[in-house]
Amino acid sequence: MITAFAPASVANLNCGFDSLGLALEQPGDKVSAIFNNDHIVRIVQITGDGGKLPLDAAANTGGAAVMALLKALGSKQGIDLQVHKNMPLGSGLGSSAASAVAAAVAANALLGSPFSKKQLFPFVLAGEAVASGSEHGDNVFPSLLGGIVLIRGYEPTDVVQLPVPQGLHIVVLHPNVEILTKDARNILPKQIPMKDGIIQGANLAGLVAGLYTNDFGLIGRSLHDVFAEPYRAPLIPYFDKVRQAAMYGGALGFGISGSGPSMFALCDSQIRAKQVAELMQKALHGKGIAFETYVSKINTTGAEIVANDKA
Ligand code: HSE
């Protein structure tokens, strides 16, 4: 049996809707893969999901990713998967992506690594599509590769790993309300005004330039979202209050993690990130909202094999 870990991820980073994401050190999901003799992909166990995720392999992000992988190989090999969820579902932390990635990485290793990480792209995208209804890669690619990832395009897939400035940390606060990516995408307008396209494009360029030049000021000034935040922020309890707290604490920038409800703050050091996390927590104190907070540096390793009992 081979077990892979795949980290949570923060997609969009405000100005990079569907095209930017980064990986956290923790939390993350683990998936174990083992051969079966029945020529099918089976989800034999899911833990940590409160019974919410489908055991039907084709409807499960991990199962769908492994089925796509086997199909590409033309293989009839059967594989059993055990999925261990270690993060909240529907949280904006790339939970569905982490399971798809961990499953693909574990199955690939079990099969003798016929694919490189980059060759796994279509399979993890297929897994993500099962959960969110669209093949966006801003969670799956950072979770797979680690670091801060730009998806320049999909036809063909063009993925750029961006530099991670020394000291960069992220705070993620997950309030316990569930927002499904599908729903959060459906409320967005299908078209945007030219002026918003210009603002978003300029900020995305600013953020990328800031990452290449270690310019924390430029990174902070670029962390704005005029595409999705105006529509999604009202779904998140006390979004403005938590933002105010993070910015008061010296965060570089603040926004919605993926499609929410998690909120993130980027910080220039671990010390600052811890201070910002405390202030964000205080902002929700006594409001009757349960939440978890994660403080993490950027995970530059991505998904990896954590146990191999094959030998
Ligand atoms: N880019 C996606 C969205 C991320 O914001 O809808 C969610 O997985």
Side-chain angles (χ1 to χ4, degrees):
M1 180 181 295
I2 291 193
T3 304
F5 167 84
S9 49
V10 170
N12 297 342
L13 296 174
N14 289 4
C15 49
F17 185 79
D18 275 2
S19 57
L20 264 192
L22 61 74
L24 305 186
E25 296 262 296
Q26 286 291 342
D29 287 351
K30 285 184 186 165
V31 175
S32 301
I34 190 167
F35 290 132
N36 69 45
N37 293 322
D38 298 325
H39 306 293
I40 53 167
V41 176
R42 269 192 308 239
I43 311 288
V44 291
Q45 188 189 29
I46 305 179
T47 61
D49 69 326
K52 286 189 179 168
L53 293 178
L55 283 162
D56 171 14
N60 179 287
T61 64
V66 173
M67 288 168 75
L69 186 157
L70 289 169
K71 192 171 169 201
L73 282 176
S75 169
K76 296 261 177 291
Q77 176 62 58
I79 293 183
D80 283 347
L81 300 171
Q82 295 174 12
V83 180
H84 303 292
K85 304 290 307 171
N86 282 307
M87 67 177 103
L89 310 178
S91 59
L93 281 167
S95 167
S96 51
S99 294
V101 168
V105 168
N108 187 48
L110 186 71
L111 291 159
S113 301
F115 298 110
S116 68
K117 268 192 174 180
K118 291 195 172 170
Q119 288 171 328
L120 295 177
F121 285 175
F123 317 135
V124 295
L125 278 179
E128 171 71 278
V130 165
S132 65
S134 88
E135 287 202 348
H136 54 270
D138 49 352
N139 286 117
V140 280
F141 295 149
S143 179
L144 180 65
L145 301 173
I148 306 173
V149 173
L150 168 73
I151 302 111
R152 209 275 320 148
Y154 286 90
E155 288 172 12
T157 309
D158 188 358
V159 168
V160 185
Q161 286 184 276
L162 301 171
V164 179
Q166 192 79 22
L168 191 68
H169 276 70
I170 187 160
V171 181
V172 179
L173 186 147
H174 168 242
N176 273 347
V177 294
E178 194 172 325
I179 297 179
L180 294 179
T181 299
K182 257 182 209 165
D183 301 337
R185 292 179 83 80
N186 282 340
I187 59 168
L188 300 180
K190 298 285 167 275
Q191 296 190 330
I192 46 145
M194 165 94 85
K195 77 169 181 13
D196 287 348
I198 293 167
I199 293 171
Q200 199 92 346
N203 279 323
L204 179 53
L207 178 55
V208 171
L211 293 172
Y212 272 97
T213 54
N214 287 305
D215 185 337
F216 283 122
L218 179 57
I219 291 170
R221 294 199 301 284
S222 306
L223 284 169
H224 296 288
D225 172 18
V226 293
F227 281 5
E229 189 183 293
Y231 304 93
R232 291 176 171 176
L235 306 177
I236 302 174
Y238 302 103
F239 180 82
D240 288 331
K241 251 192 139 36
V242 182
R243 182 212 296 273
Q244 236 173 30
M247 298 313 290
Y248 177 75
L252 299 169
F254 176 90
I256 302 173
S257 175
S259 54
S262 291
M263 298 164 259
F264 78 93
L266 275 187
C267 298
D268 59 4
S269 70
Q270 189 187 36
I271 294 177
R272 180 102 59 198
K274 285 185 173 163
Q275 287 167 352
V276 166
E278 268 180 35
L279 289 168
M280 287 165 68
Q281 288 165 342
K282 266 195 195 146
L284 280 185
H285 199 75
K287 300 273 189 300
I289 309 269
F291 58 85
E292 299 94 42
T293 315
Y294 307 94
V295 176
S296 177
K297 62 178 186 177
I298 314 309
N299 172 345
T300 51
T301 307
E304 56 187 334
I305 301 299
V306 289
N308 184 347
D309 309 327
K310 206 176 155 193

